[in-house]
mmCIF file of all heavy atoms in Angstrom:
data_model
loop_
_atom_site.group_PDB
_atom_site.id
_atom_site.type_symbol
_atom_site.label_atom_id
_atom_site.label_comp_id
_atom_site.label_asym_id
_atom_site.label_seq_id
_atom_site.Cartn_x
_atom_site.Cartn_y
_atom_site.Cartn_z
ATOM 1 N N LYS R 1 1.878 -1.014 -7.279
ATOM 2 C CA LYS R 1 2.524 -0.922 -5.920
ATOM 3 C C LYS R 1 1.718 0.118 -5.135
ATOM 4 O O LYS R 1 1.423 1.176 -5.625
ATOM 5 C CB LYS R 1 3.914 -0.431 -6.084
ATOM 6 C CG LYS R 1 4.895 -1.614 -6.480
ATOM 7 C CD LYS R 1 6.317 -1.296 -6.009
ATOM 8 C CE LYS R 1 7.210 -2.503 -6.283
ATOM 9 N NZ LYS R 1 8.254 -2.691 -5.383
ATOM 10 N N GLY R 2 1.445 -0.292 -3.892
ATOM 11 C CA GLY R 2 0.673 0.546 -3.034
ATOM 12 C C GLY R 2 1.504 1.728 -2.436
ATOM 13 O O GLY R 2 2.643 1.924 -2.883
ATOM 14 N N ASN R 3 0.896 2.488 -1.523
ATOM 15 C CA ASN R 3 1.619 3.647 -0.949
ATOM 16 C C ASN R 3 1.816 3.435 0.534
ATOM 17 O O ASN R 3 2.030 4.355 1.243
ATOM 18 C CB ASN R 3 0.870 4.906 -1.210
ATOM 19 C CG ASN R 3 -0.584 4.878 -0.660
ATOM 20 O OD1 ASN R 3 -1.070 3.805 -0.288
ATOM 21 N ND2 ASN R 3 -1.252 6.034 -0.624
ATOM 22 N N CYS R 4 1.672 2.170 0.943
ATOM 23 C CA CYS R 4 1.917 1.875 2.392
ATOM 24 C C CYS R 4 2.882 0.681 2.521
ATOM 25 O O CYS R 4 2.961 -0.146 1.676
ATOM 26 C CB CYS R 4 0.578 1.416 3.068
ATOM 27 S SG CYS R 4 -0.682 2.733 3.100
ATOM 28 N N SER R 5 3.534 0.670 3.720
ATOM 29 C CA SER R 5 4.525 -0.414 3.951
ATOM 30 C C SER R 5 3.846 -1.775 4.001
ATOM 31 O O SER R 5 2.755 -1.944 4.486
ATOM 32 C CB SER R 5 5.165 -0.179 5.280
ATOM 33 O OG SER R 5 5.586 -1.390 5.836
ATOM 34 N N PHE R 6 4.491 -2.827 3.441
ATOM 35 C CA PHE R 6 3.863 -4.103 3.497
ATOM 36 C C PHE R 6 3.824 -4.760 4.828
ATOM 37 O O PHE R 6 3.134 -5.786 5.065
ATOM 38 C CB PHE R 6 4.563 -5.042 2.395
ATOM 39 C CG PHE R 6 5.703 -5.942 2.904
ATOM 40 C CD1 PHE R 6 5.395 -7.243 3.256
ATOM 41 C CD2 PHE R 6 6.952 -5.458 3.054
ATOM 42 C CE1 PHE R 6 6.388 -8.102 3.657
ATOM 43 C CE2 PHE R 6 7.969 -6.312 3.449
ATOM 44 C CZ PHE R 6 7.699 -7.645 3.829
ATOM 45 N N SER R 7 4.464 -4.076 5.854
ATOM 46 C CA SER R 7 4.373 -4.635 7.225
ATOM 47 C C SER R 7 2.898 -4.494 7.698
ATOM 48 O O SER R 7 2.489 -5.158 8.590
ATOM 49 C CB SER R 7 5.287 -3.893 8.147
ATOM 50 O OG SER R 7 4.863 -2.479 8.203
ATOM 51 N N PHE R 8 2.134 -3.609 7.108
ATOM 52 C CA PHE R 8 0.742 -3.432 7.424
ATOM 53 C C PHE R 8 -0.003 -4.801 7.186
ATOM 54 O O PHE R 8 -0.945 -5.127 7.911
ATOM 55 C CB PHE R 8 0.038 -2.345 6.526
ATOM 56 C CG PHE R 8 0.475 -0.986 6.875
ATOM 57 C CD1 PHE R 8 1.540 -0.678 7.645
ATOM 58 C CD2 PHE R 8 -0.315 0.096 6.384
ATOM 59 C CE1 PHE R 8 1.875 0.633 7.908
ATOM 60 C CE2 PHE R 8 0.069 1.434 6.622
ATOM 61 C CZ PHE R 8 1.166 1.693 7.424
ATOM 62 N N ILE R 9 0.360 -5.432 6.129
ATOM 63 C CA ILE R 9 -0.249 -6.728 5.768
ATOM 64 C C ILE R 9 -0.008 -7.740 6.855
ATOM 65 O O ILE R 9 -0.910 -8.428 7.285
ATOM 66 C CB ILE R 9 0.265 -7.240 4.413
ATOM 67 C CG1 ILE R 9 -0.216 -6.274 3.244
ATOM 68 C CG2 ILE R 9 -0.262 -8.655 4.142
ATOM 69 C CD1 ILE R 9 0.250 -6.701 1.914
ATOM 70 N N GLU R 10 1.248 -7.792 7.307
ATOM 71 C CA GLU R 10 1.615 -8.716 8.434
ATOM 72 C C GLU R 10 0.786 -8.429 9.681
ATOM 73 O O GLU R 10 0.338 -9.322 10.366
ATOM 74 C CB GLU R 10 3.094 -8.666 8.723
ATOM 75 C CG GLU R 10 3.924 -9.213 7.556
ATOM 76 C CD GLU R 10 5.436 -9.031 7.753
ATOM 77 O OE1 GLU R 10 5.792 -8.188 8.598
ATOM 78 O OE2 GLU R 10 6.195 -9.682 7.088
ATOM 79 N N GLN R 11 0.719 -7.151 9.986
ATOM 80 C CA GLN R 11 -0.020 -6.725 11.212
ATOM 81 C C GLN R 11 -1.450 -7.041 11.075
ATOM 82 O O GLN R 11 -2.063 -7.532 12.071
ATOM 83 C CB GLN R 11 0.198 -5.199 11.420
ATOM 84 C CG GLN R 11 1.550 -4.907 12.080
ATOM 85 C CD GLN R 11 1.943 -3.449 11.976
ATOM 86 O OE1 GLN R 11 1.281 -2.592 11.315
ATOM 87 N NE2 GLN R 11 2.986 -3.102 12.696
ATOM 88 N N PHE R 12 -2.020 -6.806 9.934
ATOM 89 C CA PHE R 12 -3.429 -7.097 9.714
ATOM 90 C C PHE R 12 -3.627 -8.573 9.975
ATOM 91 O O PHE R 12 -4.591 -9.039 10.676
ATOM 92 C CB PHE R 12 -3.867 -6.691 8.331
ATOM 93 C CG PHE R 12 -5.376 -7.191 7.988
ATOM 94 C CD1 PHE R 12 -6.401 -6.476 8.584
ATOM 95 C CD2 PHE R 12 -5.523 -8.253 7.211
ATOM 96 C CE1 PHE R 12 -7.700 -6.921 8.285
ATOM 97 C CE2 PHE R 12 -6.815 -8.759 6.960
ATOM 98 C CZ PHE R 12 -7.860 -8.001 7.499
ATOM 99 N N ARG R 13 -2.820 -9.400 9.342
ATOM 100 C CA ARG R 13 -3.006 -10.854 9.429
ATOM 101 C C ARG R 13 -2.843 -11.291 10.951
ATOM 102 O O ARG R 13 -3.659 -12.163 11.319
ATOM 103 C CB ARG R 13 -1.879 -11.536 8.616
ATOM 104 C CG ARG R 13 -2.035 -13.004 8.440
ATOM 105 C CD ARG R 13 -1.063 -13.623 7.464
ATOM 106 N NE ARG R 13 0.333 -13.281 7.876
ATOM 107 C CZ ARG R 13 1.370 -13.173 7.079
ATOM 108 N NH1 ARG R 13 1.182 -13.176 5.831
ATOM 109 N NH2 ARG R 13 2.575 -12.961 7.493
ATOM 110 N N ALA R 14 -2.017 -10.653 11.683
ATOM 111 C CA ALA R 14 -1.892 -11.073 13.036
ATOM 112 C C ALA R 14 -2.951 -10.604 13.976
ATOM 113 O O ALA R 14 -3.348 -11.193 14.946
ATOM 114 C CB ALA R 14 -0.493 -10.579 13.602
ATOM 115 N N LEU R 15 -3.516 -9.418 13.635
ATOM 116 C CA LEU R 15 -4.457 -8.738 14.563
ATOM 117 C C LEU R 15 -5.896 -8.836 14.151
ATOM 118 O O LEU R 15 -6.788 -8.519 15.017
ATOM 119 C CB LEU R 15 -4.106 -7.294 14.664
ATOM 120 C CG LEU R 15 -2.726 -6.990 15.291
ATOM 121 C CD1 LEU R 15 -2.358 -5.497 15.136
ATOM 122 C CD2 LEU R 15 -2.697 -7.352 16.798
ATOM 123 N N HIS R 16 -6.241 -9.159 12.927
ATOM 124 C CA HIS R 16 -7.598 -9.142 12.485
ATOM 125 C C HIS R 16 -8.433 -10.194 13.237
ATOM 126 O O HIS R 16 -8.098 -11.348 13.392
ATOM 127 C CB HIS R 16 -7.735 -9.449 11.003
ATOM 128 C CG HIS R 16 -9.135 -9.664 10.460
ATOM 129 N ND1 HIS R 16 -10.078 -8.601 10.419
ATOM 130 C CD2 HIS R 16 -9.803 -10.720 10.087
ATOM 131 C CE1 HIS R 16 -11.170 -9.076 10.011
ATOM 132 N NE2 HIS R 16 -11.100 -10.343 9.787
ATOM 133 N N GLN R 17 -9.629 -9.695 13.713
ATOM 134 C CA GLN R 17 -10.571 -10.615 14.371
ATOM 135 C C GLN R 17 -11.801 -10.725 13.479
ATOM 136 O O GLN R 17 -12.430 -9.657 13.272
ATOM 137 C CB GLN R 17 -10.904 -10.089 15.778
ATOM 138 C CG GLN R 17 -9.739 -10.143 16.722
ATOM 139 C CD GLN R 17 -10.057 -9.553 18.084
ATOM 140 O OE1 GLN R 17 -10.820 -8.673 18.202
ATOM 141 N NE2 GLN R 17 -9.410 -10.147 19.146
ATOM 142 N N CYS R 18 -12.111 -11.891 13.040
ATOM 143 C CA CYS R 18 -13.298 -12.038 12.149
ATOM 144 C C CYS R 18 -14.556 -11.673 12.898
ATOM 145 O O CYS R 18 -14.676 -11.885 14.141
ATOM 146 C CB CYS R 18 -13.405 -13.432 11.672
ATOM 147 S SG CYS R 18 -12.208 -13.799 10.365
ATOM 148 N N ASN R 19 -15.521 -11.130 12.186
ATOM 149 C CA ASN R 19 -16.800 -10.791 12.772
ATOM 150 C C ASN R 19 -17.919 -11.485 11.952
ATOM 151 O O ASN R 19 -17.597 -12.248 11.044
ATOM 152 C CB ASN R 19 -17.020 -9.271 12.803
ATOM 153 C CG ASN R 19 -16.875 -8.663 11.378
ATOM 154 O OD1 ASN R 19 -17.542 -9.105 10.458
ATOM 155 N ND2 ASN R 19 -16.111 -7.592 11.290
ATOM 156 N N GLU R 20 -19.154 -11.175 12.251
ATOM 157 C CA GLU R 20 -20.316 -11.909 11.619
ATOM 158 C C GLU R 20 -20.302 -11.664 10.095
ATOM 159 O O GLU R 20 -20.753 -12.525 9.332
ATOM 160 C CB GLU R 20 -21.614 -11.429 12.179
ATOM 161 C CG GLU R 20 -21.889 -9.996 12.085
ATOM 162 C CD GLU R 20 -23.230 -9.539 12.703
ATOM 163 O OE1 GLU R 20 -24.250 -10.225 12.338
ATOM 164 O OE2 GLU R 20 -23.289 -8.578 13.452
ATOM 165 N N TYR R 21 -19.774 -10.520 9.656
ATOM 166 C CA TYR R 21 -19.787 -10.208 8.230
ATOM 167 C C TYR R 21 -18.743 -11.071 7.459
ATOM 168 O O TYR R 21 -18.934 -11.481 6.332
ATOM 169 C CB TYR R 21 -19.639 -8.733 7.940
ATOM 170 C CG TYR R 21 -20.724 -7.892 8.612
ATOM 171 C CD1 TYR R 21 -20.415 -7.154 9.700
ATOM 172 C CD2 TYR R 21 -22.027 -7.964 8.148
ATOM 173 C CE1 TYR R 21 -21.463 -6.392 10.368
ATOM 174 C CE2 TYR R 21 -23.020 -7.292 8.781
ATOM 175 C CZ TYR R 21 -22.700 -6.535 9.943
ATOM 176 O OH TYR R 21 -23.754 -5.790 10.497
ATOM 177 N N CYS R 22 -17.638 -11.309 8.123
ATOM 178 C CA CYS R 22 -16.553 -12.218 7.575
ATOM 179 C C CYS R 22 -17.231 -13.577 7.399
ATOM 180 O O CYS R 22 -17.024 -14.243 6.400
ATOM 181 C CB CYS R 22 -15.390 -12.332 8.487
ATOM 182 S SG CYS R 22 -14.455 -10.803 8.763
ATOM 183 N N GLU R 23 -17.954 -14.012 8.392
ATOM 184 C CA GLU R 23 -18.637 -15.329 8.366
ATOM 185 C C GLU R 23 -19.654 -15.379 7.260
ATOM 186 O O GLU R 23 -19.676 -16.388 6.506
ATOM 187 C CB GLU R 23 -19.282 -15.667 9.735
ATOM 188 C CG GLU R 23 -18.282 -16.056 10.781
ATOM 189 C CD GLU R 23 -18.815 -16.042 12.190
ATOM 190 O OE1 GLU R 23 -20.072 -16.225 12.356
ATOM 191 O OE2 GLU R 23 -18.025 -15.822 13.103
ATOM 192 N N MET R 24 -20.441 -14.340 7.066
ATOM 193 C CA MET R 24 -21.456 -14.295 6.025
ATOM 194 C C MET R 24 -20.821 -14.491 4.664
ATOM 195 O O MET R 24 -21.387 -15.119 3.779
ATOM 196 C CB MET R 24 -22.223 -12.958 5.991
ATOM 197 C CG MET R 24 -23.311 -12.853 7.031
ATOM 198 S SD MET R 24 -24.268 -11.359 6.725
ATOM 199 C CE MET R 24 -24.928 -11.088 8.300
ATOM 200 N N LEU R 25 -19.597 -13.945 4.503
ATOM 201 C CA LEU R 25 -18.945 -14.047 3.187
ATOM 202 C C LEU R 25 -18.121 -15.324 3.034
ATOM 203 O O LEU R 25 -17.462 -15.533 2.006
ATOM 204 C CB LEU R 25 -18.028 -12.817 2.956
ATOM 205 C CG LEU R 25 -18.765 -11.549 2.450
ATOM 206 C CD1 LEU R 25 -17.911 -10.341 2.744
ATOM 207 C CD2 LEU R 25 -19.036 -11.645 1.011
ATOM 208 N N GLY R 26 -18.085 -16.144 4.158
ATOM 209 C CA GLY R 26 -17.377 -17.382 4.106
ATOM 210 C C GLY R 26 -15.882 -17.223 4.128
ATOM 211 O O GLY R 26 -15.152 -18.030 3.544
ATOM 212 N N LEU R 27 -15.341 -16.118 4.699
ATOM 213 C CA LEU R 27 -13.896 -15.877 4.705
ATOM 214 C C LEU R 27 -13.306 -16.761 5.746
ATOM 215 O O LEU R 27 -13.837 -16.941 6.843
ATOM 216 C CB LEU R 27 -13.634 -14.386 4.988
ATOM 217 C CG LEU R 27 -14.194 -13.389 4.005
ATOM 218 C CD1 LEU R 27 -13.977 -11.963 4.464
ATOM 219 C CD2 LEU R 27 -13.647 -13.608 2.611
ATOM 220 N N LYS R 28 -12.089 -17.231 5.401
ATOM 221 C CA LYS R 28 -11.370 -18.137 6.370
ATOM 222 C C LYS R 28 -10.658 -17.326 7.430
ATOM 223 O O LYS R 28 -10.065 -16.304 7.092
ATOM 224 C CB LYS R 28 -10.324 -18.956 5.583
ATOM 225 C CG LYS R 28 -10.932 -19.908 4.525
ATOM 226 C CD LYS R 28 -9.859 -20.597 3.716
ATOM 227 C CE LYS R 28 -10.453 -21.176 2.434
ATOM 228 N NZ LYS R 28 -10.940 -20.150 1.465
ATOM 229 N N SER R 29 -10.688 -17.844 8.597
ATOM 230 C CA SER R 29 -10.056 -17.176 9.769
ATOM 231 C C SER R 29 -8.557 -17.109 9.453
ATOM 232 O O SER R 29 -7.961 -18.079 9.079
ATOM 233 C CB SER R 29 -10.302 -17.946 11.052
ATOM 234 O OG SER R 29 -9.341 -17.420 12.032
ATOM 235 N N LEU R 30 -7.946 -15.958 9.677
ATOM 236 C CA LEU R 30 -6.534 -15.784 9.385
ATOM 237 C C LEU R 30 -5.666 -16.404 10.555
ATOM 238 O O LEU R 30 -4.590 -16.801 10.337
ATOM 239 C CB LEU R 30 -6.193 -14.285 9.273
ATOM 240 C CG LEU R 30 -6.936 -13.558 8.166
ATOM 241 C CD1 LEU R 30 -6.553 -12.082 8.159
ATOM 242 C CD2 LEU R 30 -6.617 -14.116 6.780
ATOM 243 N N ARG R 31 -6.310 -16.459 11.753
ATOM 244 C CA ARG R 31 -5.578 -17.065 12.888
ATOM 245 C C ARG R 31 -5.260 -18.518 12.560
ATOM 246 O O ARG R 31 -4.117 -18.882 12.637
ATOM 247 C CB ARG R 31 -6.514 -17.081 14.119
ATOM 248 C CG ARG R 31 -6.824 -15.694 14.583
ATOM 249 C CD ARG R 31 -5.696 -15.059 15.334
ATOM 250 N NE ARG R 31 -5.787 -13.635 15.345
ATOM 251 C CZ ARG R 31 -6.183 -12.933 16.288
ATOM 252 N NH1 ARG R 31 -6.754 -13.461 17.354
ATOM 253 N NH2 ARG R 31 -6.215 -11.576 16.198
ATOM 254 N N THR R 32 -6.224 -19.275 12.126
ATOM 255 C CA THR R 32 -6.014 -20.738 11.979
ATOM 256 C C THR R 32 -5.034 -21.018 10.825
ATOM 257 O O THR R 32 -4.066 -21.710 10.954
ATOM 258 C CB THR R 32 -7.268 -21.536 11.722
ATOM 259 O OG1 THR R 32 -8.000 -20.864 10.678
ATOM 260 C CG2 THR R 32 -8.134 -21.536 13.033
ATOM 261 N N THR R 33 -5.229 -20.266 9.686
ATOM 262 C CA THR R 33 -4.350 -20.556 8.514
ATOM 263 C C THR R 33 -2.915 -20.141 8.909
ATOM 264 O O THR R 33 -1.997 -20.816 8.560
ATOM 265 C CB THR R 33 -4.790 -19.781 7.245
ATOM 266 O OG1 THR R 33 -5.039 -18.454 7.644
ATOM 267 C CG2 THR R 33 -6.090 -20.391 6.708
ATOM 268 N N HIS R 34 -2.825 -19.010 9.659
ATOM 269 C CA HIS R 34 -1.501 -18.512 9.958
ATOM 270 C C HIS R 34 -0.778 -19.542 10.920
ATOM 271 O O HIS R 34 0.373 -19.885 10.704
ATOM 272 C CB HIS R 34 -1.694 -17.194 10.686
ATOM 273 C CG HIS R 34 -0.389 -16.380 10.806
ATOM 274 N ND1 HIS R 34 0.528 -16.243 9.734
ATOM 275 C CD2 HIS R 34 0.185 -15.729 11.874
ATOM 276 C CE1 HIS R 34 1.530 -15.562 10.149
ATOM 277 N NE2 HIS R 34 1.362 -15.220 11.397
ATOM 278 N N GLN R 35 -1.513 -19.983 11.933
ATOM 279 C CA GLN R 35 -0.946 -20.977 12.848
ATOM 280 C C GLN R 35 -0.572 -22.301 12.099
ATOM 281 O O GLN R 35 0.460 -22.870 12.334
ATOM 282 C CB GLN R 35 -1.865 -21.227 13.975
ATOM 283 C CG GLN R 35 -1.880 -20.135 15.001
ATOM 284 C CD GLN R 35 -3.137 -20.009 15.869
ATOM 285 O OE1 GLN R 35 -4.070 -20.763 15.621
ATOM 286 N NE2 GLN R 35 -3.164 -19.026 16.823
#
């Protein structure tokens, strides 16, 4: 169990903007999966 509220996870998912390093690692955009 972490030491931060799990609402941080929801906020991250809603606000994160992928950058070139996300693309290099082949990470999926959170926007599209969330929508």
Side-chain angles (χ1 to χ4, degrees):
K1 279 207 174 210
N3 58 346
C4 296
S5 153
F6 95 98
S7 64
F8 288 13
I9 295 180
E10 292 174 342
Q11 282 167 347
F12 173 76
R13 191 172 57 210
L15 297 169
H16 173 69
Q17 292 177 327
C18 283
N19 59 49
E20 59 180 312
Y21 302 107
C22 295
E23 283 165 28
M24 280 188 202
L25 279 160
L27 301 173
K28 293 173 197 71
S29 164
L30 301 177
R31 296 282 154 98
T32 52
T33 50
H34 194 46
Q35 280 157 0

